[in-house]
Amino acid sequence: AELIAAVSLAAGTVAVGFLAYRTFFSKEKCCKDRVNLDIQKDNPKVVHAFDIEDLGDKAVYCRCWRSKKFPLCDGSHTKHNEETGDNVGPLIVKRKEA
Amino acid sequence: AELIAAVSLAAGTVAVGFLAYRTFFSKEKCCKDRVNLDIQKDNPKVVHAFDIEDLGDKAVYCRCWRSKKFPLCDGSHTKHNEETGDNVGPLIVKRKEA
């Protein structure tokens, strides 16, 4: 009976400790609700500016922050939406009747 | 000793159950790594398209999905970055020398 008590207590302690760790460290302090997981993480604010005159006929810009061609869209939002249940899509800027 | 064993076992079971619930339901199935938390959640893919001829001198587009003026930026990325440790910013499209 004492052995069972000791094992149970140990298991409970480990479980509670792991839960507490997950709750306070993994989620709160790190990446909860972050939008950008990988891009230019050494830059405190990733802003892009383009001149309208240089756009050409059509430009498609990433808003899911998963594109390998960021700031341009590469279609990564489709996989992101499937994996997370999200519903994001790109911003398109184009010339009329292009 | 048996009472202690029973209580410890119960506590351990509850902790493990809660941990399993959190791991498999709260995180995996719901909102892990979602980018857009609120905007047009009845739309499976939120895409915006604008004609270059209609842009005016400058347009600033939201990429954090927190703007009250979405798809336009309202500066919400600043609060979002502070609260989450993120580093996102808007996309700016402007005429040269505006």
Side-chain angles (χ1 to χ4, degrees):
Chain A
E2 281 176 13
L3 181 63
I4 293 171
V7 169
S8 300
L9 188 60
T13 303
V14 168
V16 169
F18 183 56
L19 182 62
Y21 172 80
R22 281 267 305 255
T23 302
F24 292 108
F25 288 87
S26 301
K27 293 193 71 189
E28 302 298 324
K29 296 212 175 171
C30 180
C31 313
K32 187 165 180 354
D33 290 340
R34 279 193 191 179
V35 166
N36 173 25
L37 305 181
D38 289 313
I39 295 166
Q40 291 184 34
K41 278 302 182 185
D42 54 339
N43 179 348
K45 184 162 76 173
V46 181
V47 178
H48 288 88
F50 295 97
D51 290 325
I52 291 177
E53 294 85 346
D54 300 336
L55 290 184
D57 284 337
K58 186 178 180 183
V60 184
Y61 294 107
C62 176
R63 297 193 294 190
C64 77
W65 298 82
R66 303 292 180 273
S67 174
K68 300 293 186 195
K69 295 162 61 185
F70 198 88
L72 298 179
C73 173
D74 72 351
S76 292
H77 52 270
T78 301
K79 180 159 173 276
H80 165 78
N81 287 344
E82 284 175 1
E83 288 181 350
T84 66
D86 210 342
N87 67 333
V88 297
L91 173 77
I92 302 167
V93 182
K94 60 178 175 44
R95 294 200 190 278
K96 282 175 184 169
E97 180 273 320
Chain B
E2 281 176 15
L3 181 62
I4 293 171
V7 169
S8 299
L9 188 60
T13 304
V14 168
V16 168
F18 183 54
L19 182 63
Y21 171 81
R22 281 267 304 258
T23 301
F24 291 109
F25 288 88
S26 301
K27 294 192 72 191
E28 302 297 325
K29 295 213 173 170
C30 183
C31 312
K32 185 159 177 6
D33 292 339
R34 278 194 192 178
V35 166
N36 172 27
L37 305 181
D38 288 314
I39 294 165
Q40 292 184 36
K41 277 303 182 184
D42 54 338
N43 180 347
K45 185 162 76 175
V46 181
V47 178
H48 288 87
F50 295 97
D51 290 324
I52 291 177
E53 294 85 345
D54 301 337
L55 289 183
D57 283 339
K58 186 179 181 184
V60 184
Y61 294 106
C62 175
R63 295 193 295 191
C64 76
W65 298 83
R66 303 291 181 272
S67 174
K68 300 293 186 194
K69 295 161 62 184
F70 198 88
L72 298 178
C73 174
D74 72 351
S76 291
H77 52 270
T78 301
K79 181 162 174 275
H80 165 77
N81 286 345
E82 285 174 4
E83 288 181 351
T84 66
D86 210 343
N87 67 333
V88 296
L91 172 76
I92 302 169
V93 181
K94 60 178 174 43
R95 291 198 192 281
K96 281 175 183 168
E97 181 272 321

